[in-house]
Every structure is written in structure tokens, then in C-alpha cells.
């Protein structure tokens, strides 16, 4: 009586459905396809080590300088607060100059008259002399004595295995803020 006046449609699902896999069934994986990426390796010869150091120093120079700067800042915090302020001030001046280089690439005063390396070397000399005059030379020598060997070992052992892929951006997408200046 409950089916009175109700007609049922024929089912569109076939009656012989394929058996479903159980979700807990283990799948065999081949261990031959697994590649482990390890960015460090010993160079074959001393010449290869020197070439690798030069290449990595140019590629990671900003990061290496940042490691030295952070190490020096940390060593200056407890006892040499004025030296830390001097380090911060010279860092800010150098960063402002580098920002001006990026913002005004056609400026004769910034680009042509003052060489970038000349300004950065002058700032390094001012920082070093300032740290020596504020009796923080021990901190500077200790930071350089510990940091430079670690950086050289890293530069010698880091091999370029394609771990960082720098792809060219599509036109109009992620375009650089300042285009390269072409001489006319």
C-alpha cells in the first residue's frame, strides 16, 4: 500500500559495476625513481675549489655580508651600544645610496661621478675606523675571524646543482622596477 500510485524509473546504473579497490590496499612503489638533492659536495681539484669559491662569492655575496653584519651586530649588543649605533648608521647610509642607484639610473651625479664600489669601500673603511675608535676592534676581528672561514668553506662546498631555478618572467608580468640602461 505504500507503493500505491508510484512508478519507479529503471536505473541508469549498470547492474554489473566493476569491483572497487579497497582504500587500505598498499601500492608497490619503485625506490629507483627517488632522487635525493644534496647541495654540498667536495670539489675534485684545488682549481675546481677556487673556481667554485669565486663563483659562489659573487653569487652569494649579499648573503655572506648579511651573515657577517648580523654576527657583528649580535657581538656588539651587550657591551658596545655606541659602536652598534655607528654600525647601523653606516649601514643606513650605504643602503640609501644603493636605493638611490636603483631609483635614478640615469643620474650623472650618482652613477657616473661616484662609482658604486668606491662608495661601498669608503663606507666599509668608515665603519672599520669607527669600530676601532670606539674600542670594538676585538668584536670586529672576532667576527671576521669566525665568519670568513665559515663563508669560505660554504663557498667551496656549495655546488650548483640547479637547486634554484631563476626563470625569466613573462612579458609584463613581474617586470623589474628599473630596466637596464642602454647606451645610445
Amino acid at each position: 500500500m505504500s507503493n500505491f500510485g508510484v512508478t519507479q524509473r529503471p536505473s541508469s546504473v549498470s547492474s554489473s559495476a566493476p569491483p572497487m579497490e579497497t582504500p587500505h590496499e598498499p601500492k608497490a612503489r619503485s625506490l629507483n625513481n627517488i632522487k635525493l638533492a644534496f647541495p654540498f659536495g667536495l670539489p675534485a681539484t684545488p682549481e675546481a675549489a677556487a673556481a667554485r669559491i669565486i663563483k659562489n662569492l659573487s653569487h652569494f655575496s649579499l648573503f655572506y655580508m648579511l651573515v657577517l653584519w648580523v654576527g657583528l651586530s649580535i657581538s656588539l649588543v651587550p657591551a658596545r651600544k655606541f659602536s652598534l649605533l655607528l654600525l647601523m648608521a653606516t649601514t643606513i647610509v650605504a643602503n640609501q645610496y644603493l636605493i638611490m642607484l636603483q631609483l635614478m639610473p640615469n643620474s650623472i651625479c650618482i652613477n657616473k661621478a661616484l662609482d658604486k664600489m668606491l662608495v661601498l669601500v669608503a663606507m666599509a673603511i668608515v665603519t672599520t675606523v669607527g669600530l676601532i675608535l670606539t674600542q670594538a676592534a676585538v668584536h670586529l676581528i672576532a667576527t671576521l675571524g669566525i665568519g670568513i672561514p665559515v663563508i669560505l668553506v660554504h663557498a667551496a662546498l656549495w655546488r650548483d646543482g640547479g637547486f634554484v631555478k631563476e626563470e625569466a618572467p613573462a612579458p609584463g608580468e613581474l617586470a623589474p622596477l628599473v630596466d637596464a640602461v642602454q647606451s645610445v
Side-chain angles (χ1 to χ4, degrees):
M1 183 149 217
S2 64
N3 289 341
F4 181 73
V6 177
T7 47
Q8 293 185 356
R9 292 189 340 198
S11 175
S12 62
V13 179
S14 67
S15 60
S16 62
M20 303 269 307
E21 290 183 16
T22 59
H24 302 292
E25 199 173 297
K27 294 184 179 182
R29 274 191 150 172
S30 173
L31 295 177
N32 296 336
N33 295 338
I34 296 176
K35 292 182 182 178
L36 296 176
F38 190 67
F40 294 103
L42 290 174
T45 63
E47 292 82 17
R52 196 183 284 184
I53 287 173
I54 292 170
K55 181 183 65 124
N56 286 337
L57 282 178
S58 67
H59 185 70
F60 294 117
S61 61
L62 179 64
F63 300 109
Y64 292 152
M65 293 306 296
L66 187 61
V67 165
L68 289 175
W69 185 84
V70 167
L72 183 59
S73 298
I74 290 172
S75 71
L76 291 174
V77 166
R80 305 278 181 215
K81 300 210 186 317
F82 184 73
S83 300
L84 182 62
L85 289 174
L86 175 74
L87 178 67
M88 297 295 171
T90 55
T91 302
I92 289 171
V93 169
N95 285 336
Q96 291 296 321
Y97 174 73
L98 294 175
I99 290 170
M100 295 297 281
L101 277 177
Q102 290 291 324
L103 291 178
M104 296 185 287
N106 295 330
S107 173
I108 294 173
C109 179
I110 293 177
N111 277 335
K112 307 293 188 241
L114 297 173
D115 186 33
K116 179 179 170 181
M117 287 306 293
L118 177 70
V119 171
L120 294 178
V121 167
M123 291 307 297
I125 291 171
V126 166
T127 303
T128 304
V129 169
L131 289 174
I132 290 170
L133 292 177
T134 58
Q135 288 110 20
V138 174
H139 298 280
L140 178 65
I141 292 170
T143 302
L144 293 177
I146 294 170
I148 289 177
V150 170
I151 287 171
L152 289 176
V153 167
H154 179 271
L157 295 179
W158 182 268
R159 59 185 164 97
D160 185 31
F163 297 104
V164 179
K165 292 189 178 188
E166 296 176 6
E167 298 176 2
E173 187 176 324
L174 299 174
L177 294 176
V178 180
D179 294 328
V181 179
Q182 296 178 354
S183 60
V184 180

